[in-house]
């Protein structure tokens, strides 16, 4: 679960309304990752901005980004392992690297894009589901 401040929720709702609830129109204009934060700049694909200052800036804690990578199984694959003492092979998820290390060191450009899009999808889904749940409570 991503922690979203109320101000950011309001800005995200404004963006959702401006794209006529067509989430596929929301694009990641740019991104930046440091030790503590993943920053995404969001914009409408039908209304590209001239600078990042005009885009919606979203800051996600790096550990929340890591949880999403792990939850989406982006940093691992299904493979065969040999049991260390009983000599039988079994299927298991094999981690390529820790989530953030995988993103920075191992992931191809397209896999990094998938990870960022997973963050956007998770954030928008969470926003819509929590607001809908709040309406019916």
């Amino acid at each position: 679960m991503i922690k979203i401040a109320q101000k950011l929720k309001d800005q995200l709702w404004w963006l959702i309304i401006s794209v006529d609830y067509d989430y596929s129109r929301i694009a990641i204009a740019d991104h930046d990752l440091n030790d503590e934060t993943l920053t995404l700049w969001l914009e409408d694909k039908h209304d590209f901005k001239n600078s990042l200052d005009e885009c919606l800036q979203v800051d996600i804690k790096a550990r929340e980004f890591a949880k999403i990578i792990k939850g989406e199984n982006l940093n691992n694959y299904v493979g065969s392992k040999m049991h260390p003492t009983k000599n039988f092979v079994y299927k298991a998820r094999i981690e390529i690297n820790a989530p953030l290390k995988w993103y920075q060191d191992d992931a191809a450009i397209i896999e990094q894009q998938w990870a960022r899009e997973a963050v956007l999808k998770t954030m928008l889904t969470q926003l819509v589901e929590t607001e809908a749940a709040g309406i019916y409570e």
Side-chain angles (χ1 to χ4, degrees), residues 42-108:
L42 306 178
E43 67 181 339
D44 180 354
K45 288 180 185 176
H46 294 181
D47 182 24
F48 285 111
K49 307 299 182 198
N50 292 324
S51 72
L52 291 180
D53 293 334
E54 298 176 56
C55 296
L56 174 57
Q57 180 178 335
V58 176
D59 293 321
I60 311 281
K61 291 184 175 159
R63 73 172 177 269
E64 291 175 340
F65 181 41
K67 286 179 187 175
I68 291 170
I69 290 172
K70 188 175 181 107
E72 294 285 326
N73 291 319
L74 295 171
N75 68 321
N76 59 59
Y77 63 94
V78 175
S80 298
K81 280 185 157 182
M82 173 74 83
H83 191 277
T85 57
K86 299 188 179 175
N87 291 333
F88 65 88
V89 176
Y90 62 98
K91 290 204 180 277
R93 293 211 75 81
I94 299 170
E95 186 176 71
I96 298 167
N97 212 335
L100 294 177
K101 292 292 278 175
W102 169 83
Y103 178 83
Q104 293 171 323
D105 300 338
D106 302 313

Side-chain angles (χ1 to χ4, degrees), residues 1 4 9 124-135 137:
M1 184 107 159
I4 305 173
K9 284 181 185 180
L124 292 174
T125 301
Q126 175 185 320
L127 180 68
V128 170
E129 287 179 351
T130 56
E131 292 297 316
I135 291 170
E137 288 183 341

